[in-house]
Amino acid sequence: MKPNRPTGIYFCLLIGFLSFSSSSASPSLRVVDPRCEYSVNPVGVDASRPRLSWRIESNGRGVMQSAYEIRAATSRKALESASSCTWATGRVQSGRSIHAEYGGPALKSGERVYWSVRIWDDGGRASGWSVPAFWETGLLEPSDWKADWITACVKEDTFSNPCPMLRREFAVQGPVRSARLYITCLGLYQAEINGKPVTDALFAPGWTAYNKRLQVQAVDVTSLLKPGRNAAGVMLGDGWYRGYMTWTKRNRIYGDRLELLFQMHIRYADGEEEWLVSDDAWKSSNRGPVRVSSMYNGETYDARMEMPGWSSPGFDDGRWEKVAQTGRGKDLLTAQTGPPVRRMEEIRPVGIFKAPNGDTVVDMGQNMVGWLRVKACGPAGTEIVLRHAEALDKDGNAYFENLRSALQTNRYILKGSGTETFEPHFSFQGFRYATVSGFPGEPALDAFTGVVVYSDIPQTGGFACSNPLINKLQQNIWWGQKGNFLDVPTDCPQRDERLGWTGDAQAFARTACFNADVAAFYSKWLQDLEADQKEDGAVPHVVPDILSLNKTNRSAASAGWADAAVIVPWTVYLCYGDKRILERQYASMKAWVDYVRRRAGEKWIWNNDFTFGDWLMFHSDRSDYPGASTDKDLIATAYFARSADLLSRAAGVLGMAGDAALYRDAYEKIRSAFQNEFVTGSGRLSSNTQTAYALALAFGLLPEDKRREAAIRLAGDVRSFGHLTTGFLGTPLLCPVLARFGHEDLAYMLLNRTEYPSWLYPVTRGATTIWERWDGVRPDGTFQDKGMNSLNHYAYGAIGEWLYSYVAGIELDEANPGYRHIILQPHPGGGLTWARARLLTPYGPVVSEWKIADGRMAYTAEVPPNTQATLFPPGGDIRKMTVGGKPLEKAGDVRPSRYLDQDVIEMGSGRTVFSWPYGVQD
């Protein structure tokens, strides 16, 4: 077994050493990247006590923050003096540099607060002040709203309708000092002022539990206004709110009509104020160019019906209809907390070819999510049709069957006036290939651009190694995350589903946190999870929960799916040091565990709710196949224990000693019941499967004296099959458990395997994303069951966590979350000669890189300021270690130590290069 990781007590000793050793640090010290609630200069914040974070840059070594000072004021100028600030902390003796809570006067709606921070290091040196940053509050109370909900008075039918357009002209009385737009809708909107978009955000206001919470966007529109006549225009789309959703082909799930709420606050240079609001003075039309726009089916755009200038002053709207006020309330409104969806990348096609069936096919070279921007020139009325697919069949034709009922088809009808450009407004596609028909002339590569859209989650991690197939796997994991993190963590982006499945989300959460900054993304989604949670605590299969709306079937409470209520907030807390997410989600976490506690009863065995089990595990047609199906009651009870364990830990973090003890006791009772029900006297599990052993060992459910034997049974099963047999729940745990219990060779064998089933098999088949099934495309070139065969489905990409944390060796210390204390523990193996991972933590970048050559291990570590690290050198005799070419004992800012039975190295911030003999016998 691998040694346990350092504890908080050990970390305290480490801090003492580093505080002493950092006195030689360079005086270079800067505060950078000031953020409020994870965002740079956010507008529309509704937190009463926003949290402020910053990073420290220094060319010194072992730099730690010992104190900080924050100033907040109503202007940048006022920050220059503490006496002119609305809030000044003075010098606060603290190492905190993330999530420092605002403690100034109560905030008012629409208030902008400028702030700046400086810090002192542990040598007493002060930094300069950071570049001033700001945050601005939104409308904090329902009574702040002066606008009314309005809807277009246009004729509609029960099918997809043209997108209504709403407009209003207004006068600006003089020079504008500032203007803020607060906007939301039921449906989706694209808003313009004077012919220009107000924001680059897509699919606003986003997908939430619409009947319980609706996000408002706050936008600075000062630059769009001009003295004199102005105009505002808003186009609405069905989106998730009213469009066709799920395989049941239901629409109008949340409501029958699209509605707009629009409020602009104008502050003039002379101090006067004015409001432009949605009211009965607006006008509407459904005679615009977007004739149909559907999430699943695509968009039809008739350029002949465009209305030039419709969102500019002077447009003739004489034929437009009056709008109606609906009287809807404002009590469900909340500020946007998650990142917006944007056009994040553009890619060019790699080829255009004629398929055997005669179709013209554009190949993007990458399974992507977004759409094709098309440029064409042709006669008016020419209809260009784009139909999108993920793969080609055995014959080389575009394959559409796995889309089920989703058409994924965009239609563009030319107006016949030179070169025209089209991209959809309220629809997206998941595809690599697109068939093109009706294109005027011979389509060329430069006629198409792939517009890649996803939530604006900055990439924070990267992994690479000496095996190019594994590098491609990592790229596929990242592309799968990008394609499925589109406002909610979806399961797939192409077929008639695209839902926020909770099981996929919890299985992938840690990998997601390595790849990108997803704290705000998950924070938003978890609020919807709580909003849609049932009164008895059951958690829906999907969030937002559209499966059980208007249905008697609750579609909730599946083990490993509903446990996302506990696992995801705990993961965000660990990865970002975000204690508030535990505070906010605690009631939801507790409600879920209490629900299962009631269902399990005094036997502490949870076996009376539907569960998906180890979804899509490996299966075989062999007559003598022993099976990989794990009993669902074993899985359910294991996850019951896992959530009780994590809830106890969360209660401890929050200082709830009573709850911590209560749920620790519950965990022990579940553990005992699990052993009595599912474990034989010799340590064999009733389900003799890889998933059963992985769950039991990962969640600590076996007696200490039976764990080694259980791990041997797991290893024997892997060795006997020569491959994994796990599904969505077992797969993320398989390699970590094998490696932890001394079977690293088998974990690496699974990673390196290229035959079906394996992670690299899809790579050898040309996959550019992660597949839903191990054999989405079978070895003979045929496809798996068309009813459930997404080729962009991130769940099995959860192996990414193991690549970062085990192969490269970047791991966190649970007692010091957010990577305040970093565990560097690389594990060379699997024939790899080098591996490298980089992670931008809340404190700054961490790098762990190893390379084996000529009988030596070269290891490079980068540790950010205000953190410490412990290195567990693999296979190294630290007496023969060099640091920067010098013997270890002469390296002044790193120190050898012992942790349990292993030599370790303690270090502070900076870049350090180690070298030692590796794999060479004395």
Side-chain angles (χ1 to χ4, degrees), residues 586-651:
Y586 186 78
S588 168
M589 298 164 74
K590 186 174 185 295
W592 166 241
V593 175
D594 287 348
Y595 168 85
V596 184
R597 170 69 185 90
R598 293 191 300 272
R599 298 291 289 162
E602 294 308 311
K603 291 184 177 181
W604 296 93
I605 298 294
W606 182 24
N607 60 2
N608 48 6
D609 276 298
F610 167 81
T611 180
F612 291 100
D614 194 26
W615 190 246
L616 297 184
M617 69 280 189
F618 170 79
H619 65 279
S620 172
D621 295 328
R622 279 174 43 193
S623 299
D624 63 344
Y625 177 63
S629 180
T630 306
D631 290 342
K632 291 184 177 182
D633 53 351
L634 183 152
I635 291 173
T637 303
Y639 267 96
F640 179 21
R642 178 60 169 165
S643 284
D645 177 25
L646 295 185
L647 181 61
S648 174
R649 298 190 214 182

Side-chain angles (χ1 to χ4, degrees), residues 74 143 250 297 693 821:
T74 56
S143 58
R250 294 173 58 215
N297 295 331
Y693 287 106
H821 179 217

Side-chain angles (χ1 to χ4, degrees), residues 559-581:
W561 271 248
D563 296 281
V566 177
I567 293 171
V568 176
W570 179 253
T571 300
V572 173
Y573 162 71
L574 289 182
C575 294
Y576 301 99
D578 189 343
K579 184 177 176 181
R580 186 178 287 180
I581 202 165

Side-chain angles (χ1 to χ4, degrees), residues 104 261 299 540 852 867:
L261 189 65
E299 182 166 304
I852 301 170
T867 70

